[in-house]
Amino acid sequence: MALFLPSLAGGGAERVMLNLAMGLTGRGFDVDLLLASAEGAYIDAVPADVRVVDLQVPRLVSAVWPLSAYLRQQQPLVVIAALTHANLAAMIAARAPGARTPIVISIHNTLSKEVQADRTLRYWLIAKMIGRVHHWADSIVAVSGGVADDFARYAAVPRERINVIPNPVITEQLLCAARQPARHAWLDAPTHPVLLGAGRLTRQKNHRALIDAFAVVRRTVEARLVILGEGPERPALEARIRHHGLQEWVALPGFVANPYAWMARASVFVLSSDYEGLPTVLIESLAVGAPVVATDCESGPREILRNGELGELVPVRDVSALSAAILRTLRRSPPVRRSNDLHSYTLDAVVDQFENLIRFHS
């Protein structure tokens, strides 16, 4: 069988697909990891028993022909694609003569929000095409109920056709990595509370709101803020930090290979996104014991936090509410978590569901 991705850039979808590859090989499946381009921050994290197939194309639109050739030659049990462009390329490639292979597309974000945020004709056309050709997929998987509902509305897909299977986030490797040092003085030898954000530095993640909220928190508490990740918004975020005069108390270390050690030592993990699919970092932070605050965005946080039982939810882009929730969380003990609160996001639970889906199509 095969998993198909654009690359192994350092994002949540890429990380969970590597977890899925590891889980499936553990169940006895031979797994190929198909990449439009074999590059990215996670390229060295591919499990040893997973074969990397590099299609060597600069853009996913160019991947259709080499992908269809792979399907004809290798005839995998099933292909599981992830992310919008890869989903479309996989569905088209599987229609080529002799390349018929069951295709499972997985939706990792709210498609309607992605289209609004991208604002390009090209992306709008791709999203519309997915709606037109969704019947070319043998199965559709969404990572959360909110993502499934959004995709059904936007792509005019019958909701009952979409399976909800969460991301495989919690692994033994994650829990072991969380016990390693963070290698940052603010966290390994803390003298003040440390707020942590993580995710690509993009507008979707709205780290600007987190910086603005932190400026309010600093009026009351001598805290520190660390935002992990890299991306095009770095210059704007650095300017925002200077605007508030927070250069001494905010760190942007870039991409970090082991964010779990940072999460485990954070006083509060904060998700400030405008929209999500199923925010992996929120599950990871809960799994390693960090108190959390999240925007009540579409979608995922409300499902993960059980309507606010496991952490505070605040309106999107409401800096005042975000700063107030951070201060409340700093002042009180984190909520007690039951052993089954996060079970659905464990590797075994998710692989069980994918294994059933693979067996159905094979």
Side-chain angles (χ1 to χ4, degrees):
M1 65 155 301
L3 306 180
F4 178 47
L5 281 164
S7 70
L8 287 176
E14 291 83 359
R15 191 159 63 241
V16 298
M17 289 294 275
L18 285 178
N19 287 348
L20 182 59
M22 176 177 64
L24 289 170
T25 57
R27 299 288 178 91
F29 290 96
D30 292 325
V31 178
D32 283 353
L33 185 62
L34 304 177
L35 300 171
S37 180
E39 61 183 10
Y42 291 130
I43 197 69
D44 294 329
V46 178
D49 46 3
V50 172
R51 184 176 72 133
V52 174
V53 178
D54 185 2
L55 300 181
Q56 298 182 322
V57 293
R59 298 171 62 186
L60 274 167
V61 70
S62 308
V64 172
W65 174 248
L67 179 56
S68 63
Y70 167 87
L71 297 179
R72 285 195 304 272
Q73 294 161 11
Q74 302 297 321
Q75 299 182 359
L77 278 175
V78 66
V79 171
I80 301 173
L83 301 176
T84 303
H85 295 66
N87 287 334
L88 182 59
M91 287 188 288
I92 295 172
R95 305 296 291 183
R100 185 58 183 156
T101 294
I103 299 295
V104 176
I105 62 171
S106 57
I107 317 299
H108 284 251
N109 220 330
T110 46
L111 185 59
S112 66
K113 299 290 186 182
E114 281 191 322
V115 172
Q116 290 174 16
D118 192 274
R119 297 179 184 176
T120 62
L121 177 61
R122 178 172 169 269
Y123 196 88
W124 180 84
L125 287 171
I126 288 171
K128 286 299 181 186
M129 284 181 68
I130 285 179
R132 292 287 182 89
V133 304
H134 67 81
H135 55 280
W136 290 355
D138 295 272
S139 287
I140 302 172
V141 170
V143 297
S144 70
V147 166
D149 294 342
D150 177 81
F151 187 77
R153 286 192 302 268
Y154 189 85
V157 178
R159 177 61 178 82
E160 60 271 16
R161 185 157 184 261
I162 306 172
N163 303 286
V164 176
I165 303 179
N167 284 329
V169 175
I170 303 172
T171 65
E172 287 300 321
Q173 290 82 354
L174 181 155
L175 300 176
C176 180
R179 294 190 285 271
Q180 301 301 312
R183 305 190 186 284
H184 193 286
W186 288 356
L187 290 153
D188 286 333
T191 56
H192 298 89
V194 179
L195 314 185
L196 181 68
R200 274 184 50 77
L201 306 184
T202 62
R203 289 187 178 183
Q204 173 193 348
K205 304 300 181 181
N206 201 354
H207 297 304
R208 295 189 199 191
L210 175 53
I211 293 167
D212 291 347
F214 176 68
V216 178
V217 169
R218 279 281 309 177
R219 298 172 193 164
T220 305
V221 178
E222 288 193 34
R224 307 289 186 264
L225 170 63
V226 178
I227 302 174
L228 304 179
E230 196 52 80
E233 279 283 284
R234 174 178 282 274
L237 297 179
E238 291 173 340
R240 200 71 183 164
I241 292 165
R242 290 192 299 271
H243 169 77
H244 289 296
L246 295 172
Q247 297 93 314
E248 276 188 67
W249 302 291
V250 181
L252 303 178
F255 175 82
V256 173
N258 178 14
Y260 319 118
W262 301 61
M263 293 170 178
R265 290 159 178 78
S267 306
V268 184
F269 181 86
V270 186
L271 182 88
S272 51
S273 298
D274 287 350
Y275 64 95
E276 287 284 352
L278 186 77
T280 301
V281 290
L282 197 56
I283 301 166
E284 291 164 344
S285 296
L286 288 169
V288 300
V292 300
V293 172
T295 49
D296 192 11
C297 64
E298 296 182 57
S299 64
R302 182 164 287 276
E303 293 178 45
I304 295 166
L305 297 181
R306 297 186 173 231
N307 297 316
E309 276 185 52
L310 302 183
E312 291 224 25
L313 290 162
V314 301
V316 173
R317 297 187 179 185
D318 189 332
V319 169
S320 177
L322 186 60
S323 60
I326 292 169
L327 286 169
R328 285 194 298 271
T329 303
L330 285 172
R331 290 167 179 158
R332 68 182 179 218
S333 301
V336 175
R337 294 169 193 156
R338 300 175 294 272
S339 59
N340 66 342
D341 280 337
L342 301 174
H343 175 73
S344 61
Y345 307 111
T346 61
L347 183 60
D348 280 344
V350 174
V351 172
D352 282 346
Q353 296 181 73
F354 271 107
E355 185 172 7
N356 290 336
L357 196 60
I358 293 164
R359 301 290 185 199
F360 175 78
H361 288 300
S362 60

